[in-house]
Amino acid sequence: DGRSVEKVNISPFISNLPFQKDTTAFSSENASGSTSQAANIIEALEYGTGLLLIDEDTSATNFMIRDARMQRLVPKEGEPITPFVDQVGNLVRERQVSTIVVVGGSGDYFDVADTVIRMKEYLPAVVTQEAHRIAAEMPTRREIEAPPEFAKIIPRSIVAESLDPYRKGRTKVTARGLYSVQFGEHSIDLSNVEQLVDASQTRAIADIMLYGLRQGHFGPGVPMAAALERIYEDISRGGLDVIAPHAGQRPGDYALPRLQETAQAINRFREIEVRQLR
């Protein structure tokens, strides 16, 4: 909750918001749980993720499932959210994106699961046939609310001028611990980017952003994913020290973050401006 979102097409999951708010180019300075989760997933698809890992405990309940009783009380035309359970199959069929969901409270996922693994005393066992049998014996009677096709992912390009690294006339780009980046006058909150494990990754993210800006990788019309891929190609050829702020410098305190974590940092920069490439 509370993250910023800039012009993300979350319409596969969210539509018909109050006041005719456009969800094909959704922006918010303080996104709700469901819109945050929708934006997280669409952004991940935008930069090429092939596998989503989702934990029921840290998900928005209304984003994950809408049971038959709730569908009866609130018909689809009055509900803006298309639950994830109804789109997970489209993601596999159309985009070859798999999902692993950890659930303990919603058996509705039995209907769409290709494999079901049950944990007992920390030991896993494959129980797919049993889960499918239970689903057949106890139908949920809920209606699928997703259209037959997943909507197009609209790539976005970064407006380079919005990545301003200056503070009081001097470049100020640094990591502040594991979950915060100072970029110019502003800080980027990475507390919900749980894949980061060491502050050396966060330091690298800060300097990757500055490097991409100085090298012109974030040019007009360049999709964000393509810009990041170019940066990571430079790192692959020249080593991680190519992102050092000063030529020839070898900081020695970097660890390589995945492209996904760098993208998540950029997407959480509250001052970022982007243009959709429709």
Side-chain angles (χ1 to χ4, degrees):
D1 288 352
R3 59 155 295 190
S4 61
V5 180
E6 176 68 4
K7 293 187 179 68
V8 178
N9 176 21
I10 62 171
S11 63
F13 298 108
I14 314 284
S15 60
N16 303 321
L17 286 179
F19 311 110
Q20 287 74 53
K21 190 172 181 65
D22 184 11
T23 59
T24 66
F26 178 80
S27 298
S28 174
E29 294 183 359
N30 187 24
S32 67
S34 56
T35 53
S36 292
Q37 193 161 356
N40 289 344
I41 291 172
I42 297 299
E43 289 168 352
L45 299 177
E46 183 182 351
Y47 44 79
T49 293
L51 173 64
L52 300 172
L53 307 176
I54 298 180
D55 189 347
E56 184 183 60
D57 283 351
T58 54
S59 295
T61 301
N62 60 338
F63 179 84
M64 295 298 290
I65 188 66
R66 235 164 59 88
D67 65 21
R69 289 176 175 174
M70 192 59 70
Q71 288 180 328
R72 181 84 172 266
L73 181 66
V74 182
K76 177 56 182 171
E77 56 267 22
E79 169 55 52
I81 300 175
T82 298
F84 185 75
V85 69
D86 290 336
Q87 287 285 26
V88 67
N90 286 337
L91 287 172
V92 172
R93 289 187 294 271
E94 297 178 35
R95 307 195 65 85
Q96 293 75 55
V97 174
S98 298
T99 304
I100 297 175
V101 187
V102 179
V103 295
S106 177
D108 288 4
Y109 275 86
F110 292 175
D111 291 316
V112 297
D114 298 300
T115 302
V116 179
I117 299 172
R118 181 174 59 200
M119 299 295 292
K120 183 177 180 180
E121 296 179 355
Y122 300 101
L123 295 176
V126 177
V127 293
T128 307
Q129 290 185 345
E130 182 180 353
H132 287 174
R133 177 181 55 78
I134 292 171
E137 292 176 355
M138 304 175 64
T140 65
R141 306 189 191 284
R142 65 178 305 277
E143 297 180 5
I144 297 175
E145 297 182 341
E149 295 182 353
F150 199 85
K152 179 182 178 182
I153 303 300
I154 303 175
R156 299 168 300 149
S157 67
I158 297 171
V159 177
E161 292 77 12
S162 67
L163 282 175
D164 185 358
Y166 294 103
R167 183 178 184 183
K168 296 181 180 179
R170 300 179 60 186
T171 299
K172 183 66 174 179
V173 175
T174 187
R176 298 191 180 280
L178 179 58
Y179 291 124
S180 182
V181 167
Q182 182 75 36
F183 201 88
E185 296 280 356
H186 307 282
S187 62
I188 306 173
D189 180 8
L190 302 179
S191 57
N192 285 324
V193 184
E194 297 177 350
Q195 299 90 337
L196 293 173
V197 296
D198 194 89
S200 56
Q201 293 174 295
T202 314
R203 282 191 290 273
I205 286 174
D207 286 341
I208 284 172
M209 292 173 62
L210 182 61
Y211 174 84
L213 180 65
R214 288 178 168 175
Q215 296 296 314
H217 288 309
F218 301 126
V222 179
M224 185 190 304
L228 288 171
E229 286 168 3
R230 292 176 186 176
I231 294 170
Y232 275 74
E233 286 170 3
D234 290 351
I235 293 171
S236 179
R237 286 193 299 266
L240 195 49
D241 287 335
V242 299
I243 66 171
H246 305 289
Q249 185 180 15
R250 295 184 177 276
D253 57 356
Y254 289 144
L256 184 65
R258 299 183 309 161
L259 184 149
Q260 284 91 340
E261 278 75 70
T262 301
Q264 289 181 77
I266 294 172
N267 282 313
R268 282 161 176 72
F269 184 35
R270 291 187 176 274
E271 305 304 310
I272 196 72
E273 294 179 24
V274 303
R275 293 194 175 97
Q276 286 188 327
L277 304 175
R278 291 179 178 266

